[in-house]
Amino acid sequence: MSSVAVLTPESFAEHRSGLKDQEITGCVPEDEAYIPTYLEAFPPLPEKGAPGEKAGEPVSAWGSRIRPIKASVITQVFHVPLEERRYKDNSQFGEGEEAKVCLDIMQRTGAHIELSLAKDQGLSIMVTGKLDSVMKARKEIVARLQTQASATVAIPKEHHRFVIGKNGEKLQELELKTATKIAIPRPDDPSANIRITGTKEGIEKARHEILLISAEQDKRAVERLSLEKAFHPFIAGAHNRLVQELSQETGARISIPPPSLPKDEIVITGEKEAVALALNRIRAIYDDKAKSVMVVEVTAPAWLHRFIIGKKGQNIGRITQQLPRVHIEFTDGEERISLEGPTEEVEQAQTQIQEIIKDLLVRMDYTEVIIDQRFHRHLIGKNGANINRIKEQYKVSVRIPQDSERSGLVRIEGDPKGVQLARRELIEMVQRMENERTKDLIVEQKFHRTIIGQKGEKIKEVRDKFPEVIINFPDPAQKSDIVQLRGPKNEVEKCAKFLQKIIADLIENSFSLSVPIFKQFHKNIIGKGGANIKKIREETNTKIDLPTENSNSEMIVITGKKSNCEAARDRILAIQRELANIKETEVTIPAKLHNSLIGSKGCLVRSIMEDCGGVHIHFPSEGSGSDKVTIRGPAGEVEKAKKQLLQLAEEKQVNNFTAELQAKPEYHKFLIGRGGANIRRVRDRTGARIIFPSPDDTEQELITIVGKEEAVRQAQKELESLVKNLDDVVEDSMVVDIRHHRHFVCRRGQVLRELAEEYGGVAVSFPRTGTNSQRVTLKGAKDCVEAAKKRIQEIIEDLESQVSVEVAIPQRYHRAIMGPKGCRIQHITREHEVQIKFPERDDGAVSPDAEFVPRKCDIITISGRAEKCELAKAALLALVPITEDVEVSYELHRYIIGQKGSGIRKMMEEYEVNIWVPQPEKQLDVIKVTGLVANVERAKLGLLERVKELQAEQEDRALRSFKVTMSVDPKFHPKIIGRKGAVISQIRKDHDVSIQFPDKGDEQQVCDLIVISGYERNVEEARQAIQLLVAELQEMVSQEVHLDPRTHARIIGARGKAIRKLMEEFKVDIRFPQPGSDEPDKVTVMGLPETVDNAIDHLLNLEEEYVSSQCRKSHTHFQVSAYQTFCMCLFQAPDMSSAEDFPTFGTGVALKQTSVWGPKKF
């Protein structure tokens, strides 16, 4: 046995450095498992005076140009000595447990593993794959192929978390790196020992790494300092600024527990010197504060605490802002408030809090009421309506306990008077609720909407009548009939009686009756202007609905009280009898024949009614048990219909004789026969119809025979004879060659089960395997046994005449031949009664373009009769996909593919083929179509048809791409475009062209060019239309007119309505100045000369009218103002000391406001 040289990453690193523990510059870390190439491992010596080297610069022994390149696939080789091998049996090397373990590891990790045996009987293992897969595989190989040892290493308990790392990442990395299992004791376990399990080499590595981690942590220090929690805020400082500054100065990490955590221990970690410095600084702060801080307790009732704190902490916030160094703490459930801080500030805070408490005790009071928990939700009300009203009305706070507290104690706090009033109201509400009663009324859901009324009008009347009763209707989706009443007992009873009366009236008035009336008489029943039907409705107090004129229905529906409905029916029938000689007669026909007389969807009875002049034939409702059939219509036609109906009933009676027969369900298939042959013979001989029970029927043994009595009796006799024979159980045997036994018993006895189902439950027993017996036993009904023997003999003949045919089809087509879930193969095996076996797959790559040479994995075997095998072979070959090339221009490929491949995907689904389009860079004019012959032909035709469509589209695009540019002065562009693009859109629509104007912001673009594209003829027409428009615009003139700015808004009108009307009337364009313009009165009018003049004249007239109207208003206003001034003079003397009323002459006094006498003039 040859020896295998093993080079592990560890030994190679040792070889390169000469010292195992010495670090190599530029070396790839071991955990990345990088394996260098030969040139990297043994580089050539550098030549003297290599260009680019600086004098005096030392040359590295390994060269400076070597750069390790990481590969995605790596290889690791390691050795397992004989004494550490778990499986030492070399007689079956490569086939024993070691090989199975390696195969399992390869499947689990995806890495490739090779084993070889060295001369020393040690095991060399080479693992190839991606880094992650190799590391996992190595760990599993060491665990499963190498004997495991264990050792413990003790490090301080506080260092364990550093071995585990964040989310256990460090521990996982260490286990993968050393191929060991490391168990770290739980935090609550006092043990500090870490257990390592694995190979000796792995244990040593893991132990070394753990000790390194612990040694690194030994350099750090941890101090825990217990200080009263009251001093923590002073050490932390405002917003933790002090502790942050302390951490930055010392370099230590300081952890202060949050106020919510009941701990007083401050933890300091870091370098020993930094920790000591931070510890001293904290102690100094503590000592300083301990001398100057005092703690005081103030007593206050616990229920007052939240009032002392104030809304959103306003009261306490005010104190802490004035005295920031005072810490105030409230304790839940206790009547004390703690104050901590400097002595002076604590005393001030104490005084302020005591004043607040004194004030609150004078102004506030509380009381507690025990109220049954079942009333709590009613006290609160819907969305808190009741309790919020009480709070606002009495200025109190009411605390109702949660349901989960299971307490009935309700607490009221606030103004003493308000507390008592709120308490009284709550007690009164509870007393009312105790006197309340809930009653459920059963009301059919169909009446709910009627009781409620449109928009709730009717139920509102009921609620107004009984205001203390709450009436709740169920949600329509619940389909419930329960209406709930709740309120005082007496009121609920009265309301219930009132509603019951309404319901009784509704039930009484909801009786419905349908009356068949000949269609031609409906207009007579309605009467002129609806007079007749209106009179009947009013006199009988009923609702009468007639079918629409377009409807074929002749039924008139009457709704109301039963007696009223009957009266209305009689009156309507009387009108019909007066108009025609209508007769009504009854015929007695057995109820069991009614359905057969009506026929499918009423076809038979409808044909009689149509044949007899539209008479009405009414059958009683199903299940009523009545035999009476009513015929109504003209006297002669009624007799005719009666005769036909009786004749049809007689025929049905004769042909509707029924007999029943009992037979075990397992006999049914034998009675029916293969493909229904047996039962068809009985039907053909007798003419009777035989009905077997369906799987859902309860009576599985009942067979029904229907037909003429004589035929039914004969069929019954034949079936009874067959059943009798089946009941005579016999046992028989036959000889079947041993080589055919497996066919019958394989697939869990599928063939035997089929024989039992088909031949009346016959039991077929084959001898046990190994007995060498050829005798087969059959037990069952005599006829069944004989038929089963005959069938077995047929199967044996088929088996003996079976041949095997091989079909060579390339393996790459096998999946396509099988079809989805093997449906195509199943179809062939059923149709041709053969068996088809596919070979095992061979993953060896074979070029599709190479010449086909059949291999073992390409041979499909067909077993069965020779002629059927040939048919199956032909069917298989027909399923072999072919590939054909279709010439399609490269330019059309992207259109065939479609957006996101939608076009080609649709074709592939439609034709059930695979379509391959070459890569764009190849620029080939060929598309490959692969699939079944027929599908490929259809796909080719479809593809060529699509090509024709695309070529036609290309030609059309070429014709539509005709372009013309025309130069138009940019000042006309807005007019050509029109308001919101109306003008240009109309031109585009009329001439089916695209028109592009130059962009305003594009300086490189010619600003006067308009581009028109489309069909040549359309482009020319569009160009002419634009030219005509430009010619009209060129004839236009632009004039300016100066209008008083006050008139602009009046002329423009609401939302520009007035100015638009004016522009349409005079066919001009009017532009008003923008707000803030230098010339606010300048208005521009553009249009044809005569229209512009007319428009300007009109604008000036409007201005004149508006200005004159304003002047009249000003005059009126002046008169009113003068009168008001005169009145003021009568009742109020002027202020002579006012400089404004009596100004000094000759001085420039600035006026602050206008006098009642008007503006002053100097």
Side-chain angles (χ1 to χ4, degrees):
M1 188 177 290
S2 62
S3 174
V4 177
V6 179
L7 184 65
T8 64
E10 294 81 2
S11 60
F12 181 66
E14 184 180 355
H15 165 69
R16 292 208 303 181
S17 62
L19 294 170
K20 190 166 186 176
D21 297 325
Q22 186 174 345
E23 187 177 347
I24 301 169
T25 305
C27 178
V28 180
E30 176 186 334
D31 59 341
E32 294 187 13
Y34 172 71
I35 306 300
T37 63
Y38 179 81
L39 287 174
E40 289 173 348
F42 305 100
L45 293 173
E47 296 178 7
K48 289 183 180 180
E53 290 180 2
K54 293 181 181 179
E57 204 175 69
V59 179
S60 170
W62 296 93
S64 60
R65 290 172 294 175
I66 296 174
R67 292 289 183 270
I69 301 170
K70 298 180 184 178
S72 61
V73 177
I74 66 164
T75 301
Q76 275 198 10
V77 181
F78 54 97
H79 187 71
V80 179
L82 175 63
E83 60 273 12
E84 292 185 13
R85 283 179 58 189
R86 180 165 289 180
Y87 307 102
K88 298 180 181 178
D89 185 9
N90 296 332
S91 61
Q92 293 184 338
F93 182 72
E95 297 179 359
E97 288 297 323
E98 286 174 339
K100 290 179 183 177
V101 169
C102 287
L103 187 63
D104 181 47
I105 294 170
M106 283 194 290
Q107 289 174 350
R108 287 157 63 95
T109 63
H112 181 69
I113 303 171
E114 291 184 14
L115 299 179
S116 59
L117 205 61
K119 285 184 178 180
D120 61 355
Q121 302 300 305
L123 201 62
S124 291
I125 304 169
M126 182 169 71
V127 187
T128 306
K130 292 187 177 180
L131 174 62
D132 187 43
S133 302
V134 168
M135 298 305 287
K136 288 180 181 176
R138 181 181 174 186
K139 182 180 176 183
E140 287 209 29
I141 288 167
V142 168
R144 297 172 68 177
L145 294 184
Q146 203 165 350
T147 54
Q148 303 288 297
S150 65
T152 58
V153 57
I155 62 171
K157 189 82 174 173
E158 56 267 23
H159 294 175
H160 287 191
R161 63 192 182 92
F162 298 102
V163 177
I164 296 168
K166 188 178 180 180
N167 297 326
E169 291 174 0
K170 184 72 177 176
L171 182 62
Q172 291 173 11
E173 181 187 346
L174 197 59
E175 287 183 338
L176 276 175
K177 187 176 177 181
T178 60
T180 58
K181 177 68 178 173
I182 301 170
I184 297 175
R186 296 175 62 83
D188 53 2
D189 189 345
S191 173
N193 291 333
I194 296 174
R195 177 169 291 279
I196 310 167
T197 307
T199 62
K200 289 181 181 178
E201 182 186 0
I203 289 171
E204 286 303 317
K205 283 184 186 178
R207 187 173 180 279
H208 174 69
E209 291 290 339
I210 291 169
L211 289 173
L212 279 178
I213 293 167
S214 180
E216 185 181 344
Q217 296 305 317
D218 277 338
K219 296 176 184 176
R220 299 175 65 82
V222 179
E223 285 289 345
R224 289 178 169 79
L225 187 63
S226 292
L227 299 176
E228 290 90 338
K229 202 163 182 65
F231 294 98
H232 288 191
F234 301 107
I235 296 167
H239 304 293
N240 290 322
R241 284 178 192 153
L242 185 58
V243 75
Q244 288 171 7
E245 289 172 5
L246 200 58
S247 293
Q248 288 173 1
E249 288 175 15
T250 61
R253 183 181 174 186
I254 303 168
S255 177
I256 299 174
S260 58
L261 200 65
K263 282 189 176 181
D264 59 1
E265 190 176 70
I266 298 173
V267 181
I268 311 165
T269 57
E271 300 293 335
K272 289 183 179 179
E273 293 179 3
V275 168
L277 182 59
L279 184 65
N280 292 333
R281 293 282 299 276
I282 290 171
R283 283 192 181 279
I285 294 169
Y286 171 72
D287 293 340
D288 179 50
K289 294 295 177 185
K291 293 175 183 177
S292 61
V293 171
M294 69 175 292
V295 178
V296 173
E297 288 186 356
V298 179
T299 304
W303 66 272
L304 271 184
H305 285 189
R306 62 193 187 90
F307 298 103
I308 295 167
I309 294 167
K311 192 175 182 181
K312 295 182 180 180
Q314 284 179 350
N315 297 342
I316 291 299
R318 193 163 51 250
I319 295 170
T320 53
Q321 281 177 2
Q322 294 173 2
L323 309 166
R325 291 188 292 174
V326 176
H327 175 68
I328 304 171
E329 184 177 349
F330 291 81
T331 308
D332 288 340
E334 295 185 15
E335 296 188 347
R336 63 186 178 86
I337 304 167
S338 300
L339 288 81
E340 299 173 2
T343 306
E344 292 181 4
E345 293 188 6
V346 166
E347 288 175 354
Q348 291 179 33
Q350 182 182 6
T351 305
Q352 290 185 29
I353 289 175
Q354 284 175 342
E355 286 176 0
I356 292 171
I357 293 168
K358 188 177 179 182
D359 178 57
L360 288 173
L361 286 172
V362 172
R363 291 190 300 104
M364 304 291 289
D365 191 10
Y366 81 94
T367 185
E368 292 178 343
V369 187
I370 302 294
I371 297 174
D372 197 318
Q373 199 173 4
R374 62 197 169 97
F375 298 130
H376 287 185
R377 63 190 184 92
H378 302 295
L379 292 178
I380 295 167
K382 191 174 182 181
N383 297 324
N386 294 344
I387 204 70
N388 288 338
R389 179 184 58 77
I390 291 170
K391 286 177 180 179
E392 290 174 8
Q393 184 176 348
Y394 302 116
K395 308 298 181 188
V396 293
S397 171
V398 182
R399 185 190 176 279
I400 298 176
Q402 298 288 334
D403 292 343
S404 56
E405 294 180 28
R406 299 186 178 279
S407 170
L409 188 68
V410 177
R411 186 182 181 93
I412 311 166
E413 300 168 353
D415 178 69
K417 188 177 179 181
V419 166
Q420 294 304 319
L421 291 172
R423 180 177 181 275
R424 188 185 305 159
E425 183 164 345
L426 286 176
I427 291 171
E428 287 175 359
M429 288 174 70
V430 171
Q431 287 172 350
R432 282 201 304 271
M433 284 186 282
E434 284 176 345
N435 188 39
E436 274 188 356
R437 182 188 170 188
T438 300
K439 185 169 185 176
D440 291 342
L441 288 181
I442 306 299
V443 183
E444 286 186 62
Q445 195 179 27
K446 65 180 180 180
F447 296 129
H448 290 186
R449 189 180 292 274
T450 312
I451 294 169
I452 294 167
Q454 191 174 12
K455 296 182 180 180
E457 290 174 357
K458 291 186 178 178
I459 198 65
K460 187 175 182 297
E461 292 175 6
V462 179
R463 284 173 175 154
D464 291 342
K465 191 170 184 178
F466 303 97
E468 295 183 36
V469 180
I470 298 170
I471 306 170
N472 290 323
F473 284 86
D475 193 301
Q478 294 178 356
K479 296 184 178 178
S480 171
D481 294 338
I482 297 173
V483 177
Q484 192 181 72
L485 309 179
R486 184 165 56 83
K489 185 176 179 181
N490 296 334
E491 291 296 310
V492 166
E493 289 297 331
K494 290 177 185 177
C495 184
K497 288 179 181 177
F498 184 77
L499 285 174
Q500 283 169 348
K501 185 180 178 183
I502 292 173
I503 294 160
D505 290 343
L506 285 173
I507 293 170
E508 188 179 2
N509 292 320
S510 64
F511 180 78
S512 182
L513 201 63
S514 295
V515 185
I517 301 294
F518 291 104
K519 193 80 176 178
Q520 62 265 31
F521 300 137
H522 283 197
K523 60 182 180 180
N524 303 96
I525 289 166
I526 295 169
K528 189 175 182 180
N532 292 350
I533 198 72
K534 187 178 180 182
K535 186 178 179 182
I536 295 171
R537 282 171 178 161
E538 288 174 355
E539 291 180 359
T540 60
N541 194 23
T542 56
K543 180 186 175 186
I544 303 173
D545 295 317
L546 285 86
T548 59
E549 290 183 8
N550 301 328
S551 171
N552 293 323
S553 173
E554 295 183 340
M555 289 293 181
I556 295 176
V557 181
I558 308 169
T559 309
K561 291 184 178 179
K562 186 176 180 180
S563 57
N564 294 348
C565 288
E566 289 172 351
R569 179 192 61 184
D570 294 342
R571 292 186 62 170
I572 290 170
L573 289 173
I575 293 171
Q576 182 179 243
R577 279 194 294 271
E578 288 175 8
L579 296 169
N581 184 19
I582 301 300
K583 181 183 177 183
E584 184 177 306
T585 185
E586 288 184 349
V587 184
T588 302
I589 297 172
K592 64 179 180 178
L593 297 177
H594 288 184
N595 284 339
S596 59
L597 290 174
I598 293 167
S600 178
K601 296 181 181 179
C603 61
L604 292 179
V605 75
R606 193 162 52 248
S607 66
I608 295 173
M609 288 194 292
E610 289 171 359
D611 189 39
C612 301
V615 296
H616 289 290
I617 301 175
H618 176 69
F619 285 85
S621 58
E622 193 173 356
S624 64
S626 174
D627 295 338
K628 302 291 183 182
V629 179
T630 306
I631 307 171
R632 183 188 298 113
E637 300 299 333
V638 167
E639 289 301 322
K640 184 179 176 183
K642 179 180 177 181
K643 186 177 178 182
Q644 287 191 20
L645 198 61
L646 290 171
Q647 187 178 353
L648 184 62
E650 190 178 350
E651 290 174 8
K652 294 290 181 183
Q653 182 78 25
V654 170
N655 294 321
N656 204 38
F657 186 79
T658 303
E660 293 177 348
L661 180 69
Q662 297 282 338
K664 293 178 182 178
E666 54 265 29
Y667 294 164
H668 291 185
K669 283 197 175 184
F670 181 74
L671 293 173
I672 294 167
R674 196 172 186 183
N678 294 349
I679 205 67
R680 198 180 300 115
R681 280 197 298 271
V682 175
R683 283 175 182 165
D684 292 344
R685 280 200 299 269
T686 62
R689 184 182 171 203
I690 302 165
I691 304 168
F692 285 86
S694 67
D696 299 328
D697 290 342
T698 52
E699 290 286 341
Q700 287 294 308
E701 293 188 357
L702 191 65
I703 301 171
T704 307
I705 310 167
V706 182
K708 292 183 179 180
E709 186 176 358
E710 185 182 350
V712 168
R713 297 294 184 198
Q714 188 180 350
Q716 185 180 9
K717 189 176 179 182
E718 288 191 24
L719 287 175
E720 284 174 348
S721 175
L722 287 171
V723 171
K724 188 178 180 183
N725 291 338
L726 291 172
D727 286 334
D728 296 336
V729 177
V730 297
E731 187 172 329
D732 201 352
S733 63
M734 63 184 296
V735 175
V736 178
D737 198 316
I738 292 174
R739 70 177 189 274
H740 300 315
H741 287 193
R742 188 175 181 280
H743 174 79
F744 288 93
V745 298
C746 68
R747 290 176 296 166
R748 298 182 181 178
Q750 177 67 25
V751 177
L752 297 180
R753 280 202 304 275
E754 290 174 359
L755 285 170
E757 287 175 7
E758 191 172 347
Y759 298 103
V762 64
V764 184
S765 302
F766 277 79
R768 292 181 179 277
T769 307
T771 56
N772 294 325
S773 173
Q774 297 182 352
R775 186 167 297 281
V776 176
T777 305
L778 295 90
K779 187 176 181 181
K782 186 177 180 182
D783 292 345
C784 295
V785 167
E786 290 301 324
K789 282 174 68 176
K790 187 178 178 183
R791 178 60 187 149
I792 291 171
Q793 200 60 45
E794 288 175 4
I795 294 171
I796 292 168
E797 288 174 7
D798 284 345
L799 292 172
E800 288 178 344
S801 61
Q802 267 190 1
V803 296
S804 291
V805 176
E806 292 183 346
V807 187
I809 297 174
Q811 182 182 270
R812 64 179 179 272
Y813 297 135
H814 288 187
R815 184 169 290 178
I817 291 169
M818 288 180 185
K821 298 182 181 179
C823 62
R824 292 175 182 165
I825 290 300
Q826 290 169 11
H827 176 70
I828 293 172
T829 53
R830 280 198 305 270
E831 185 178 359
H832 301 290
E833 296 179 355
V834 295
Q835 291 181 353
I836 301 172
K837 184 180 179 183
F838 280 80
E840 295 291 331
R841 285 187 62 81
D842 185 358
D843 294 331
V846 178
S847 174
D849 300 328
E851 186 180 350
F852 176 57
V853 178
R855 299 176 297 162
K856 186 178 179 182
C857 62
D858 299 328
I859 306 299
I860 299 172
T861 307
I862 307 172
S863 303
R865 287 182 177 270
E867 63 277 9
K868 292 185 178 180
C869 285
E870 290 301 323
L871 292 171
K873 180 180 177 180
L876 277 179
L877 291 171
L879 292 175
V880 176
I882 62 165
T883 301
E884 288 202 15
D885 295 344
V886 183
E887 286 194 16
V888 179
S889 174
Y890 160 72
E891 296 171 354
L892 300 178
H893 287 189
R894 61 194 183 97
Y895 300 110
I896 288 169
I897 293 170
Q899 190 176 14
K900 295 183 180 179
S902 59
I904 201 156
R905 193 159 51 246
K906 183 181 177 184
M907 291 184 74
M908 288 165 67
E909 289 172 0
E910 184 179 351
Y911 300 114
E912 296 181 6
V913 293
N914 184 40
I915 301 174
W916 179 81
V917 180
Q919 294 294 328
E921 55 269 14
K922 294 183 180 178
Q923 296 190 0
L924 298 176
D925 293 337
V926 172
I927 290 179
K928 294 182 181 293
V929 184
T930 304
L932 302 182
V933 179
N935 294 349
V936 168
E937 288 301 321
R938 289 192 307 115
K940 276 176 66 179
L941 293 173
L943 200 56
L944 292 172
E945 189 66 31
R946 178 65 178 146
V947 168
K948 286 180 183 176
E949 290 176 8
L950 292 172
Q951 286 172 345
E953 287 176 10
Q954 275 188 332
E955 291 172 4
D956 186 60
R957 272 198 298 274
L959 291 172
R960 288 182 68 91
S961 63
F962 181 77
K963 286 186 179 179
V964 164
T965 57
M966 59 185 299
S967 178
V968 177
D969 194 324
K971 69 180 181 181
F972 297 133
H973 288 189
K975 291 293 180 183
I976 296 169
I977 293 169
R979 191 166 182 266
K980 294 184 179 179
V983 177
I984 201 67
S985 297
Q986 191 62 38
I987 294 172
R988 285 172 178 154
K989 184 179 177 183
D990 292 344
H991 302 287
D992 190 22
V993 292
S994 172
I995 304 172
Q996 293 180 344
F997 287 82
D999 292 335
K1000 290 182 180 179
D1002 194 348
E1003 295 178 358
Q1004 298 178 356
Q1005 201 171 6
V1006 181
C1007 63
D1008 63 344
L1009 287 182
I1010 297 175
V1011 181
I1012 310 170
S1013 57
Y1015 294 116
E1016 184 175 359
R1017 181 181 173 185
N1018 294 354
V1019 168
E1020 286 299 325
E1021 289 176 356
R1023 185 170 66 85
Q1024 289 172 11
I1026 292 172
Q1027 284 175 344
L1028 286 172
L1029 194 58
V1030 171
E1032 288 178 7
L1033 291 171
Q1034 285 172 342
E1035 291 178 6
M1036 291 183 179
V1037 295
S1038 177
Q1039 288 188 26
E1040 295 174 354
V1041 59
H1042 294 275
L1043 300 176
D1044 191 326
R1046 294 175 299 169
T1047 64
H1048 290 189
R1050 179 80 171 269
I1051 294 168
I1052 292 167
R1055 297 185 180 179
K1057 188 175 179 181
I1059 197 66
R1060 278 200 301 274
K1061 185 178 179 183
L1062 199 147
M1063 287 193 291
E1064 288 173 6
E1065 183 181 347
F1066 291 97
K1067 307 297 182 190
V1068 292
D1069 185 36
I1070 303 172
R1071 298 290 176 185
F1072 285 84
Q1074 294 292 330
S1077 174
D1078 295 336
E1079 295 180 279
D1081 60 345
K1082 187 174 74 174
V1083 177
T1084 306
V1085 184
M1086 183 186 292
L1088 295 174
E1090 60 274 13
T1091 58
V1092 168
D1093 292 338
N1094 293 337
I1096 289 173
D1097 291 342
H1098 187 73
L1099 287 172
L1100 291 170
N1101 290 336
L1102 289 174
E1103 181 195 28
E1104 186 179 348
E1105 288 176 12
Y1106 180 70
V1107 170
S1108 62
S1109 66
Q1110 287 296 106
C1111 289
R1112 284 195 298 272
K1113 285 182 182 177
S1114 299
H1115 180 67
T1116 306
H1117 176 70
F1118 173 75
Q1119 289 177 344
V1120 172
S1121 299
Y1123 173 74
Q1124 289 174 343
T1125 305
F1126 175 72
C1127 291
M1128 289 174 65
C1129 291
L1130 288 176
F1131 298 102
Q1132 182 179 359
D1135 185 5
M1136 296 178 66
S1137 63
S1138 171
E1140 292 181 3
D1141 292 342
F1142 296 93
T1144 305
F1145 289 96
T1147 59
V1149 180
L1151 299 180
K1152 292 184 180 178
Q1153 67 181 39
T1154 306
S1155 168
V1156 293
W1157 298 98
K1160 299 176 180 65
K1161 297 178 183 179
F1162 297 99

